[in-house]
Amino acid sequence: MIKLSLNGVLLSAATKNTHPFCAARWFCSSGASSHTSFLSYDKDPAPAFIRKDVQKLLRSMTRLELDKIFRKRAVRDNSIEYRFMTDEQLRQEVKKSIGRAEKLLQMPPIVAVMKDNPKVISRDPALTGFSDTKMVFTDITFGVPNDKRTIVERLTDGTLQEVSYETKKRLNQIYFPLEGRKIRTPQMFEGTQLKKILDSGEYEFVLNRACVQYEPFEKEYHDVTGTVYQHVNDNKSFDVLRSTRHFGPMCFFLAWHRLVDDLLLDMIKRDYLRNATELVFLYCTLHGVSVNTEGSEQLQQYILNTEAPIIESAERTAQEFEQNEKFLSFVEQFVLEHCIKKVQLNLAIAAYREMANERLKLAEGIRKMHGER
């Protein structure tokens, strides 16, 4: 119901687009990123992103590190509560903490950019020249979802049509403001300001703010997040986003655009071989390719049917060393067939294999000292 009253109607002299900043223009021309053009999805990524196997891979690669997730932050209440507990109570609290952590790591969705095509309701040539400005009529009925709220505009030529998404979003924010969202685009998303923030490594801050300011289907959201992911990749700062809700979407973005070499190298150097294997499977899933190695199907089933341990033991068993060698051989074959930075990756694989052999010998020596076989 449209309330045609002084409190229910917005009469706006908005003959021009008054939005002061257009992020899409800057991202292609300002040079904040080292890329000459902005990387965007060439088709709707949502069907691939929401697949169960893809979601499982992304969640596992994110890594649930409780110390990082529950680290101290710049918030009003940063107090710590101490309790005396039994062992059973402690186990229950740990389970609750893991549940809260999983909620905090819920990934923002990746969907296609919405196409904005305002629908023409009627054309009334008799109203041509009635006003030299267009008028906007807003339904402010309480309880109506913002995306369902009726907002129309009367143009100077008498045409009555739905408003553009940008106008609708701005008016909804005026009448029903969302906490943290600004009516105008914050200056931090401008070219110069954004580059300074990214150069300082505040990736999570930018991505969290983008989730508040934009909806996932807005082009500006794609522009901001894509620029952040590319900056992270260029500077190899992957660990900054690891164990945050943005690490999975970043992995998806890099795999979609075939930019996994540096991330794969980072995972190998950090001894995250299972994650490296998951990244390879993600790449193969998105691009319909395969790795020509024996046992790849069994390895994929192992990845999809087992959960990575939340707390990894410092001492590894012989079976774990054997499993890591399978991961490493699989990744090595992928590097040979699909990667560009083969030299760096092969050197990292060779160094890891040498280190793993030394650790295996050390573990065997310790077991013999303890009389174990």
Side-chain angles (χ1 to χ4, degrees):
M1 172 182 176
I2 300 179
K3 298 179 179 179
L4 298 179
S5 64
L6 290 177
N7 293 328
V9 179
L10 177 65
L11 301 179
S12 173
T15 55
K16 296 183 180 180
N17 183 358
T18 57
H19 204 293
F21 310 122
C22 181
R25 293 195 200 98
W26 170 76
F27 285 104
C28 294
S29 60
S30 72
S33 174
S34 61
H35 300 269
T36 57
S37 61
F38 177 76
L39 294 176
S40 59
Y41 294 102
D42 52 353
K43 59 181 180 180
D44 186 4
F49 182 76
I50 64 176
R51 284 180 49 170
K52 290 184 178 180
D53 56 339
V54 171
Q55 284 289 305
K56 182 177 177 61
L57 294 174
L58 295 178
R59 285 196 300 269
S60 181
M61 283 188 286
T62 298
R63 301 184 67 86
L64 198 149
E65 299 176 3
L66 297 179
D67 291 343
K68 186 172 183 179
I69 296 172
F70 296 115
R71 68 188 184 277
K72 289 187 177 182
R73 301 175 184 268
V75 295
R76 293 180 180 178
D77 184 11
N78 225 341
S79 59
I80 300 176
E81 181 182 357
Y82 294 93
R83 300 179 187 175
F84 290 99
M85 298 182 178
T86 63
D87 291 344
E88 179 60 27
Q89 289 174 330
L90 180 60
R91 282 193 290 269
Q92 294 299 323
E93 285 297 322
V94 171
K95 289 182 180 179
K96 292 179 181 179
S97 297
I98 293 174
R100 291 195 296 269
E102 290 176 345
K103 291 182 179 179
L104 292 174
L105 293 182
Q106 182 65 42
M107 293 177 284
I110 297 180
V111 297
V113 175
M114 181 189 66
K115 295 181 180 179
D116 192 13
N117 297 312
K119 179 183 177 182
V120 175
I121 300 174
S122 66
R123 300 183 187 277
D124 301 295
L127 296 178
T128 301
F130 177 79
S131 174
D132 58 355
T133 61
K134 69 179 180 181
M135 294 179 288
V136 180
F137 301 85
T138 304
D139 174 14
I140 61 170
T141 303
F142 184 77
V144 177
N146 285 346
D147 58 332
K148 303 295 183 181
R149 193 175 302 282
T150 301
I151 304 178
V152 297
E153 59 184 355
R154 176 75 72 175
L155 304 183
T156 56
D157 62 356
T159 301
L160 182 66
Q161 65 179 20
E162 297 176 348
V163 298
S164 64
Y165 174 77
E166 181 184 338
T167 302
K168 188 171 186 177
K169 177 183 175 183
R170 186 166 65 248
L171 295 177
N172 278 324
Q173 185 63 18
I174 291 174
Y175 284 103
F176 301 95
L178 297 178
E179 184 179 357
R181 178 174 292 183
K182 304 299 181 181
I183 296 177
R184 306 295 181 184
T185 301
Q187 293 186 4
M188 63 170 287
F189 293 129
E190 289 186 72
T192 305
Q193 297 296 329
L194 182 57
K195 186 177 186 304
K196 288 181 180 179
I197 298 174
L198 295 182
D199 288 342
S200 66
E202 297 292 337
Y203 303 120
E204 187 179 5
F205 169 70
V206 175
L207 293 171
N208 285 337
R209 186 71 186 278
C211 289
V212 174
Q213 183 64 30
Y214 304 113
E215 297 295 336
F217 51 77
E218 293 185 50
K219 188 178 188 305
E220 288 80 5
Y221 177 81
H222 281 244
D223 291 341
V224 171
T225 55
T227 299
V228 174
Y229 299 152
Q230 290 178 80
H231 197 281
V232 172
N233 188 56
D234 292 341
N235 292 274
K236 302 175 179 62
S237 302
F238 306 106
D239 199 52
V240 176
L241 290 182
R242 189 172 275 113
S243 287
T244 71
R245 59 178 177 157
H246 305 291
F247 191 81
M250 181 193 67
C251 293
F252 185 89
F253 178 90
L254 296 178
W256 183 283
H257 296 290
R258 304 175 188 268
L259 298 173
V260 299
D261 290 30
D262 290 319
L263 179 55
L264 197 61
L265 182 62
D266 178 80
M267 290 175 172
I268 295 173
K269 288 182 176 180
R270 294 180 183 276
D271 195 10
Y272 297 158
L273 290 189
R274 180 187 174 103
N275 294 154
T277 305
E278 291 164 342
L279 181 61
V280 172
F281 282 129
L282 175 64
Y283 181 99
C284 294
T285 300
L286 295 180
H287 300 291
V289 298
S290 60
V291 179
N292 297 321
T293 182
E294 184 179 355
S296 60
E297 293 184 1
Q298 291 84 348
L299 195 61
Q300 184 174 13
Q301 291 300 318
Y302 174 81
I303 290 290
L304 295 177
N305 295 327
T306 60
E307 297 288 342
I310 297 177
I311 302 177
E312 297 182 353
S313 174
E315 297 182 3
R316 292 182 177 174
T317 64
Q319 290 78 9
E320 290 174 330
F321 279 110
E322 183 180 352
Q323 187 63 58
N324 279 348
E325 177 57 33
K326 293 180 180 179
F327 290 149
L328 195 63
S329 299
F330 180 76
V331 172
E332 187 176 23
Q333 185 63 29
F334 173 79
V335 170
L336 178 64
E337 296 177 8
H338 300 284
C339 289
I340 297 175
K341 299 182 178 181
K342 291 182 172 60
V343 175
Q344 298 96 313
L345 286 164
N346 284 328
L347 288 174
I349 290 172
Y352 181 89
R353 185 170 276 130
E354 182 178 355
M355 177 196 69
N357 290 334
E358 293 297 327
R359 291 176 63 179
L360 179 59
K361 292 179 181 178
L362 178 61
E364 291 176 348
I366 293 175
R367 283 197 294 270
K368 289 180 180 179
M369 289 177 60
H370 290 278
E372 300 177 2
R373 294 183 179 181

